[in-house]
């Protein structure tokens, strides 16, 4: 074996250890403003939510109203609190958000998306948990556009023989 280096198993093991450590992700830093808040934008359908979170008692304000007053349906309130329950941070953060566009269901989804992203900015270690739960993925489904010659996107006009 002239001209080539022979490597022992120990050398190969050292190479495997160093190469396994090489692609290690850099540690993510928390993103907080001067007031100790983290900000994120959440989107769903046509709704856009701007969300700020900070440590507190668990109060959630949406467009200046309490969450129970703005989202009257319990399902929508449950949707908003899901990121805190999954991350085991329920009633530990105060949320202030402004949301516009779309309907109530889309707005609730946008707030949930924003809360999830803001939590990852505040505590980067929660990213794996929230990503596995699917809260960091923006739901791409939107309303299909109406086509000409149709009553709605797919619905035809009523057929008449005469």
């Amino acid at each position: 074996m002239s001209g080539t280096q022979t490597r022992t198993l120990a050398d190969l093991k050292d190479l495997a250890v160093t190469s396994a450590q090489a692609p290690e992700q850099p540690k993510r830093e928390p993103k907080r403003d001067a007031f100790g808040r983290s900000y994120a934008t959440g989107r769903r359908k046509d709704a856009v939510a701007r969300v700020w979170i900070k440590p507190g008692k668990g109060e959630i304000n949406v467009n200046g109203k309490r969450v129970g007053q703005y989202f009257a349906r319990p399902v929508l309130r449950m949707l908003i609190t899901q990121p805190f329950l999954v991350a085991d941070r329920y009633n530990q953060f105060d949320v202030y958000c402004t949301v516009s566009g779309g309907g109530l269901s889309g707005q609730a989804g946008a707030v949930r998306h924003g809360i999830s992203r803001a939590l990852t900015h505040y505590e980067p270690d929660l990213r794996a948990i929230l990503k596995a739960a699917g809260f960091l993925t923006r739901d791409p489904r939107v309303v299909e556009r109406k086509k000409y010659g149709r009553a709605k996107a797919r619905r035809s006009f009523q057929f008449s023989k005469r």
Side-chain angles (χ1 to χ4, degrees):
M1 291 196 197
S2 62
T4 60
Q5 277 186 327
T6 58
R7 293 188 174 154
T8 64
L9 286 174
D11 295 337
L12 292 175
K13 187 183 270 187
D14 291 339
L15 277 176
V17 168
T18 56
S19 65
Q21 293 172 349
E24 187 174 313
Q25 302 277 333
K27 184 76 173 153
R28 292 181 186 264
E29 292 294 321
K31 297 178 187 174
R32 299 180 190 147
D33 64 6
F35 301 106
R37 303 175 302 186
S38 286
Y39 168 79
T41 305
R43 293 183 182 86
R44 169 88 167 89
K45 293 186 179 180
D46 268 347
V48 179
R50 301 182 311 154
V51 178
W52 290 266
I53 65 166
K54 64 178 183 177
K57 301 175 189 168
E59 295 177 2
I60 302 176
N61 286 320
V62 182
N63 290 348
K65 297 179 181 176
R66 302 288 303 223
V67 70
Q69 191 178 0
Y70 193 84
F71 294 112
R73 293 187 1 221
V75 174
L76 299 179
R77 289 196 302 269
M78 178 207 62
L79 196 76
I80 289 171
T81 57
Q82 279 179 338
F84 294 120
L85 295 172
V86 168
D88 199 28
R89 300 289 188 274
Y90 191 66
N91 286 342
Q92 293 182 18
F93 287 96
D94 287 343
V95 177
Y96 176 77
C97 65
T98 58
V99 62
S100 63
L104 285 178
S105 176
Q107 287 183 352
V111 171
R112 180 179 83 166
H113 186 227
I115 288 173
S116 302
R117 290 177 68 179
L119 271 174
T120 60
H121 291 322
Y122 196 87
E123 289 185 57
D125 297 336
L126 297 177
R127 181 173 172 80
I129 298 165
L130 293 169
K131 191 165 179 69
F135 295 152
L136 296 178
T137 306
R138 188 231 189 262
D139 193 348
R141 297 175 296 170
V142 293
V143 178
E144 190 175 350
R145 76 172 192 87
K146 184 195 177 302
K147 281 85 172 183
Y148 61 89
R150 296 270 176 175
K152 299 195 320 187
R154 298 187 179 207
R155 170 116 168 68
S156 299
F157 296 113
Q158 184 174 349
F159 177 74
S160 174
K161 197 168 189 178
R162 294 186 187 96

